[in-house]
Amino acid sequence: MSAVASALTSRLSAASTAAFGIDLDPELRSATKPEFGHYQSNLALRLANQLGLPPREVAARLVAALELDDLCEPPAIAGPGFINLTVRSTVLAAAINDRPAFAPRGERVVVDYSQPNVAKQMHVGHLRSTVIGDSVCNVLQYVGYQVIRQNHVGDWGTQYGMMIEQLLEEGLDADTLDLQGLQELYERSRRHFDSDGDFADLSRLRVVALQTGDPATRANWQHMVDVSLADFEQVYARLGSALTRDDVVGESAYNDDLPVIVAELEQDGLLTESDGASCAFLPGYVGRDGQPLPVIVRKSDGGFGYSATDLAAIRHRVKNLHAQRIVYVVDHRQALHFDMIFTLARAAGWLPPTTTAEHVSFGTVLGPGGKPFKTRAGGTVKLTTLLDEAVERADALLDDRTGIDRAATAVAVGIGAVKYADLSSDRDNDYVFDLDRMVAMTGNTGPYLQYAHARLTRLLSNAGETPGAVTLLDHPIEQRLALLLTGFDDTVAQVAETLQPHRLCTYLYELAAALSVFYEQCPVLKSEGETRASRIALCAATRQVLQDGLGLLGIAAPDAM
């Protein structure tokens, strides 16, 4: 809660202890109507049930014990015994004028997100991980964490053996293939692998050559990686993502650690041989048939699965990166996998009690019919295609706008619309990808918030003066807007704790909606004297919070739309 609400909660709890010897959470809530003040508590009603006294009598004794003169107007008792509190305007103004920054926490958090595969174009499934991951990183940095971004790119394993073998069989030069060519090569090699046992055997031998460092095999593989990473960087730049090539730590980076992982698990007695594979059977994990579920660390052919790689990544992040919190932004289908990996890593001692590990899961992007989002031909939709369409829709939205950099604004609005639509829904839920709704200028959308910011920028420019401090908050709508502003840092802190960016989206939308009412009922430039100066300052504070909030979501805040 905000600093103001936190202070009120402490005072109410102290009054409960002083009057009745009972320390009870007052469950302070924002009032639903202006006539009820700013906050409301049902503390008296809950105490009355315990004490067997009339609720209004309990409320009266609580009010008598309250010490709130420095924070609130005199409390009011309403209905059966609700306590209504109205924060003093001077307190609200002071809270707006003095926004202390979060202090450094001294804790290091590693955030693993995006995770595209080499030789494949990024698709809509990567949108969610990238957008959510960026927002989570931004928020964690804002509240004082030291954040290390990790892009666990898929660049190792059987598929690269079969692609290189297909390349050699066709007599192709890897240097001539771009990412589209590599994806087509993958599709051909996949069909060949599935239909030809001899080719499958050769592909597996090629994986061994890759893992043992055969120069020609490694050279072909390295070209695939370089082409893919260059393409990924372009997509991240379009998205406004903070991810760079320096953040890429692919599966291949842990190759030398995999035998060590197996050896340490064997030494600790955590592995069991099952059909030639080395597996960990953890207590409590069973399938639908009631049989124990294995974590396959080494396959029967001697190769290592992605479970081994994930274990090596945890070990590295704790031992070498000194992570005290590890966050994985991966879709909900991997929930059981990560639960088992975290459990095994703790059993092995690689994930100590002092380090938390969290799976930030997310749902599926659906098409307009509520089915998985596919192309008309049934294929996966490329992320660049979606972004192109979003920018085109945004550009059309700006047809009648003048005095703006239309191309740059279309990019900011289109990309922002896509990102906001993703972040504004609870990440655990599926959501429908609907560009018409995303780019709408009304409702809970990115363009609505961006326009609120641009409108404030224009107002402040027209004011022709440097904003000062908020000094007057006489109108109830001014107070409503001010009260919302005091809750920004609390909302960001909640997102850092829960890793749910939609909470910040909801807050920003409520702020923008309150700003719209403020425009209607509280003239700014036509006001005079101290009222005008204070309202200009209130607008400046609101603009800053909208800009900061959109920035934390990874969304641009244009100065003009």
Side-chain angles (χ1 to χ4, degrees), residues 372-388:
F373 200 38
K374 299 287 185 180
T375 63
R376 290 182 180 180
T380 302
V381 180
K382 293 191 296 185
L383 183 50
T384 53
T385 300
L386 290 183
L387 300 182
D388 288 341

Side-chain angles (χ1 to χ4, degrees), residues 19-238:
F20 303 105
I22 299 174
D23 184 4
L24 198 64
D25 182 357
E27 297 183 359
L28 199 66
R29 297 288 184 269
S30 296
T32 55
K33 297 180 180 179
E35 58 265 30
F36 296 153
H38 298 142
Y39 293 103
Q40 191 174 67
S41 174
N42 66 354
L43 178 59
L45 281 72
R46 290 184 291 121
L47 283 170
N49 287 334
Q50 291 189 33
L51 298 169
L53 296 172
R56 287 188 67 90
E57 178 183 332
V58 174
R61 291 170 61 178
L62 281 172
V63 168
L66 273 172
E67 297 181 1
L68 289 175
D69 288 348
D70 58 325
L71 295 177
C72 289
E73 304 294 342
I77 300 172
F82 290 104
I83 298 175
N84 295 338
L85 303 172
T86 300
V87 181
R88 292 187 183 278
S89 297
T90 53
V91 174
L92 288 177
I96 294 171
N97 295 329
D98 182 19
R99 276 183 57 200
F102 284 91
R105 299 174 62 100
E107 296 177 59
R108 182 173 294 188
V109 57
V110 171
V111 183
D112 181 336
Y113 69 106
S114 193
Q115 310 118 354
N117 289 317
V118 160
K120 294 181 182 178
Q121 293 178 316
M122 292 178 69
H123 55 74
V124 66
H126 296 115
L127 172 69
R128 299 217 71 185
S129 180
T130 305
V131 169
I132 294 170
D134 266 328
S135 179
V136 164
C137 288
N138 295 340
V139 167
L140 290 172
Q141 281 182 311
Y142 185 86
V143 302
Y145 281 98
Q146 181 185 351
V147 175
I148 299 176
R149 300 169 192 252
Q150 297 274 273
N151 192 355
H152 191 79
V153 169
D155 64 352
W156 208 242
T158 303
Q159 73 182 63
Y160 303 103
M162 67 188 192
M163 288 178 66
I164 294 170
E165 195 63 32
Q166 184 74 26
L167 188 79
L168 296 174
E169 183 169 303
E170 294 179 359
L172 294 176
D173 185 350
D175 292 344
T176 65
L177 298 179
D178 59 10
L179 188 56
Q180 178 64 33
L182 289 175
Q183 182 152 338
E184 292 170 357
L185 174 68
Y186 165 76
E187 292 166 358
R188 294 196 303 274
S189 68
R190 178 83 263 176
R191 291 192 296 270
H192 198 176
F193 185 90
D194 291 340
S195 63
D196 186 339
D198 291 338
F199 178 78
D201 289 340
L202 289 172
S203 297
R204 294 188 183 98
L205 290 174
R206 185 62 59 183
V207 174
V208 175
L210 175 63
Q211 292 176 338
T212 55
D214 174 66
T217 302
R218 280 288 178 97
N220 282 316
W221 169 81
Q222 189 63 55
H223 173 75
M224 295 179 182
V225 172
D226 291 341
V227 168
S228 301
L229 294 186
D231 194 271
F232 298 160
E233 282 185 312
Q234 293 179 28
V235 176
Y236 293 141
R238 291 196 66 188

Side-chain angles (χ1 to χ4, degrees), residues 29 47 169 174 180 202 260 347 374 418 433 453 479 487 505 525:
R29 297 288 184 269
L47 283 170
E169 183 169 303
Q180 178 64 33
L202 289 172
V260 179
K374 299 287 185 180
V418 170
F433 194 94
H453 175 271
Q479 295 173 16
C505 295
L525 300 185

